[in-house]
Amino acid sequence: MSFDLAVIGAGPAGMAAAVEARALGLAVLVVDEQPAPGGQVFRSVEAAHGDAVLGAEYSAGLGLVESFRRSGATYRPGTTLWHLDPDSGEMSLTPGGPAVARRVLLATGAQERPVPILGWTLPGVMGMGAAQIMLKTAGAVPSGQVVLAGQGPLLWLLAAQLKRAGAAPALILETTPKGRLAAAFRAGGWFSGRGLLLKGLGLLRETRGLPVVRAVTGLRAEGEGRVQRVVWDGGSADCDTLLLHEGVVPATHIPLALGLEHAWDVRQQCWRPVVDVHGASSHDRVAVAGDGAGIGGWQAAVASGQLAALDAAHRLGRLTAEGLAQRAAPVRRMQAEALALRPFLDALYAPSAAVLAPPDDQVLVCRCEEVTAGQVRAAARLGAQGPNQAKTFLRSGMGACQGRMCGATVARIIAESRGVTPETVAPLRPRAPYKPLTVAQLAGL
Amino acid sequence: MYATRPEARPATVEVFVDGVAVRVPAGASAAAAVLLAGSAAIRETAVTGAPRLPYCMMGVCFDCLAEVDGAANVQACMVPVVAGMRISRQAGARDALMPEAGR
Amino acid sequence: MSAPEPFQAIVVGGGLVGSAIAWGLAREGLRCVLLDEGDIAFRASRGNFGLVWAQSKGQGAPHYQRWTRYSANAWPELAQELAAAVGADVGLHQPGGVHLCLSDKEMADRSDRMAQMAREAGNSLPFHYRMIEAAELREMLPALGPSVVGASFTPYDGHVDPLRLLHALHRAFTSAGGVYVPNAKVERSNAAPHDFRVFAAGRVFEAPRVVLAAGLGNAALAPEFGLSAPVRPQQGQVLVTERVAPIFTMPTTSVRQTMQGSLLLGDSVAEVGYDISQKPAVMAEIAKRAVLSFPFIARLNIVRAWSALRIMPKDGVAIYDQSERFPGAYTANCHSGVTLAGAHARLLAPMIAAGQLDGMMDSFSARRFDVRDAA
């Protein structure tokens, strides 16, 4: 099957790109791992939009999903891209056969930043994003003593949602250090981003009265066979479910595997693909839009998806340069507005050094191969210069997740050990298959 | 431990988690079913045998690997439940020679 | 420029070949520096299949067959020594190995090849092999597919964890007093007999011996030292399955079970220059052949795959040399860093330490290409 534009991911960026590209007459393929469109932010919105607990902003995603459904794009849900040859545009997909596209837009979104603490592999410790997915896909809430630990807008959104559902967390452990608010105001953006800021203040108001410990450090999970206690410097509490969150980072697995040029994002402390204003990457067939190109939230993602679609149409001769400029202008204004609060949020919720590189040698950093921070430090002392050599020595990043959970942590620990800046250490280089698949699927049997 | 909210999403699909019947809402994943069933673990790691439950629920961490309808090491958070689905604990490295049902 | 740092040997290249030689030199009591690339490198050692393999090496080149056999024989001691030195378990398992044949033609060709190897081995180090028919093979390996008509077997073969080997060699080298310098791509060098300077990582290293073990990098480096290293990249792709409970009692040339439980499926051969991109069509071919050999493999998940570049000498046979113009400069070039690790650490390194390659190494000299090209 041959297409003008293939979009990988049916979240806000991917859906918006598909809608825009279809409107311009492009033949569009949308491939998504999930069974229904929406991405993680609007996960299951067609089924769950009536659940008031999730809030009005979530339900607003329904409109986007509906216009995507009507767009006429070829939609392959439940489908994994396991290899892309950027030079030819050939995509290996499973289940089902391959496809080829003249332009490929990666809209693979974000993942939660791993929070490697002692005990984070214990059953009952999860990401806050995971708890939200339980809410969206199953209407389910964690029961028993629920503790939220970490920081970021999602923490307060989840706390509010759980409270609305009658399952308010027993305790919130906020890791934001003292004095950050002043730094955030200095970073700017709060005035132009005041709409989002007000929404955040609303969440804070809604969650008032929940027990909160602030400026928490030294977080760890303890228990026999499952989490039973959460401990921090100066305190501890019983706990049945510990939900962690330290923000989200771009899902760079496929862009890195393709060898796209990446840049270190100092504000967000992560790698992101280098893209131009329309999302075009360093490879002339490939664009990246949405949180995958740098965290900006769903409204910015919609705008970047539209821009990438306009650019695709222009590159394929369906839109003149003037047409592109004209149509892109209002979208770029919308994007700027959506991104206005980012400097403020990034400064307020910057992850601590301990989250990026756990100081305790006993912490498991690679959950799959069960490699500790101490082992990574030993490899660095032996001369490992980055996560690729550490992978060779320790198997960190060789498990089923292919380094999605440990790659950044291993690189950071090595950077610290070597006494160099994080951008000096190149990220783990993933290879295909981007996700495991059976030998039979790979062989096309 | 997770609980459904029947007022929002009625639990209408019956699946079997480690052989025990549990009803979960349509749209839930196999991994969600394991959490709703209150299982102590969805897998034991192949490296040290440590118990794990799902961590990310969005296809990233691979800690939800389970046996789903006889297929080993399936990323359970990526598979929506269907009536009668059998989900069981992935106990360490799989037995490669064991024939699988329905695959 | 900083002051020259004196050593007794400089080894260029921290892959399996370089680190085995460097450790061997350090073991001989030489103060040795090992110059390596950084985190991103072609690094064939990271792409190795992990076989200690004698049965296919050296057809038409008896000296290479012998060298390989020496190395396979030296392997148990190498493994023990690494265990004693740094407590490393490199997972050596050397029960012999088989090459599966999927058609009568493959079986006949293989049989001819084995017979030739045995003829060429002569009597000094006889080459024992057996062609095994399907019925007997099924007793040896579980779940063989119906397409397998037989196999060749030699008792010398086995496998190790090549990554643990690399890690162990680095640890052993360092603990024997060796100095490891990463991010040290050779920028320039000065060569004189038994007097070498290598400029790398903003430092100057000086020694009476230099060993070039930089893999494909040797081609460009060797002429600086009056040597020649006609090697080219040859791409190989490998697939790795999830871990499964122990199933195989011995390795095969195309499927082996690692000590962690994964099955490695491979490996392909492609002449594509410096290209390490993965090709789904090649990956599919590897997968299909694996499934023909062992149908149960179809159900397993592939968790990783890679393509890497072998270091292939012009005629496929290893190249070892000491420079005539600048004695003290050596090259080591081969695509069998695992198999030959035993020979590199325990035989070659002592020769280099002593300052002279044995007569038996003459046939490995790159001068063989001059003769052939002149002829």
Side-chain angles (χ1 to χ4, degrees), chain A residues 6 133 148 277 317-318 323:
Chain A
I133 288 166
L148 272 49
V277 291
R318 309 286 178 81

Side-chain angles (χ1 to χ4, degrees), chain A residues 37-134:
Chain A
Q40 299 305 338
V41 64
F42 300 129
R43 184 91 181 258
S44 301
V45 70
E46 290 164 302
H49 63 93
D51 188 350
V53 156
L54 288 162
E57 189 173 4
Y58 173 73
S59 306
L62 187 61
L64 189 54
V65 170
E66 285 172 347
S67 46
F68 168 65
R69 290 272 194 196
R70 282 194 307 266
S71 70
T74 301
Y75 172 46
R76 286 176 63 173
T79 302
T80 300
L81 172 77
W82 64 266
H83 181 267
L84 165 64
D85 181 342
D87 295 335
S88 67
E90 285 170 64
M91 293 167 283
S92 304
L93 302 165
T94 188
V100 63
R102 296 167 71 189
R103 190 150 184 83
V104 179
L105 173 62
L106 302 175
T108 51
Q111 67 171 74
E112 284 191 279
R113 188 192 295 278
V115 188
I117 58 170
L118 273 181
W120 73 312
T121 53
L122 286 171
V125 182
M126 301 176 79
M128 288 186 203
Q132 257 212 332
I133 288 166
M134 287 298 285

Side-chain angles (χ1 to χ4, degrees), chain C residues 148-195:
Chain C
V148 179
V149 301
S152 60
F153 170 87
T154 54
Y156 322 111
D157 303 321
H159 54 161
V160 298
D161 182 329
L163 301 179
R164 283 199 183 192
L165 172 61
L166 184 66
H167 193 195
L169 288 170
H170 277 236
R171 283 158 64 205
F173 170 69
T174 304
S175 75
V179 176
Y180 176 76
V181 184
N183 292 324
K185 207 172 165 60
V186 175
E187 290 144 21
R188 73 196 164 88
S189 56
N190 302 142
H194 303 295
D195 182 9

Side-chain angles (χ1 to χ4, degrees), chain A residues 83 92 369 382-383 385-389 392-393 395 398 402 418 429 431-433 436-440 442-443, chain C residues 39-40 46 163 167 171 180 182-183 243 260 276 278 280 283-284 288 291 297-298 300-305 307:
Chain A
H83 181 267
S92 304
E369 293 291 326
L382 192 61
Q385 297 294 289
N388 295 293
Q389 185 78 348
T392 303
F393 283 170
R395 303 184 62 81
M398 277 193 192
Q402 304 173 332
R418 289 176 54 197
R429 184 182 60 183
R431 307 299 302 265
L437 74 167
T438 67
V439 174
L442 193 148
Chain C
D39 195 50
I40 307 290
R46 287 182 191 154
L163 301 179
H167 193 195
R171 283 158 64 205
Y180 176 76
N183 292 324
R243 293 176 194 233
Q260 289 82 16
I276 54 164
Q278 298 167 280
M283 297 164 79
K288 279 179 192 155
V291 171
I297 287 178
L300 304 185
N301 287 299
I302 297 293
V303 294
R304 288 186 293 128
S307 67

Side-chain angles (χ1 to χ4, degrees), chain C residues 21-32:
Chain C
I21 295 171
W23 174 53
L25 293 176
R27 222 162 105 268
E28 295 288 314
L30 264 59
R31 204 175 125 66
C32 181

Side-chain angles (χ1 to χ4, degrees), chain B:
Chain B
M1 287 186 290
Y2 277 79
T4 55
R5 292 159 47 243
E7 72 280 11
R9 301 286 293 280
T12 54
V13 182
E14 186 177 72
V15 298
F16 299 89
V17 176
D18 287 325
V20 178
V22 51
R23 295 183 84 82
V24 302
S29 66
V34 171
L35 290 170
L36 288 167
S39 303
I42 194 166
R43 73 175 184 122
E44 285 146 10
T45 66
V47 181
T48 63
R52 297 281 171 87
L53 277 176
Y55 180 83
C56 82
M57 295 296 280
M58 57 179 88
V60 174
C61 77
F62 288 76
D63 255 323
C64 65
L65 296 176
E67 264 185 50
V68 178
D69 288 336
N73 278 333
V74 171
Q75 208 178 3
C77 77
M78 302 299 286
V79 183
V81 291
V82 294
M85 178 181 272
R86 295 184 171 272
I87 308 152
S88 34
R89 187 181 299 196
Q90 183 71 48
R94 70 188 285 180
D95 179 350
L97 294 185
M98 197 136 80
E100 290 175 357
R103 211 171 175 199

Side-chain angles (χ1 to χ4, degrees), chain C residues 54-55 69 72-73 94-97 127-130 153-158:
Chain C
Q55 76 168 271
R69 289 282 303 284
N73 291 346
Q94 222 171 345
F127 180 85
H128 296 294
Y129 75 97
R130 286 180 58 214
F153 170 87
T154 54
Y156 322 111
D157 303 321

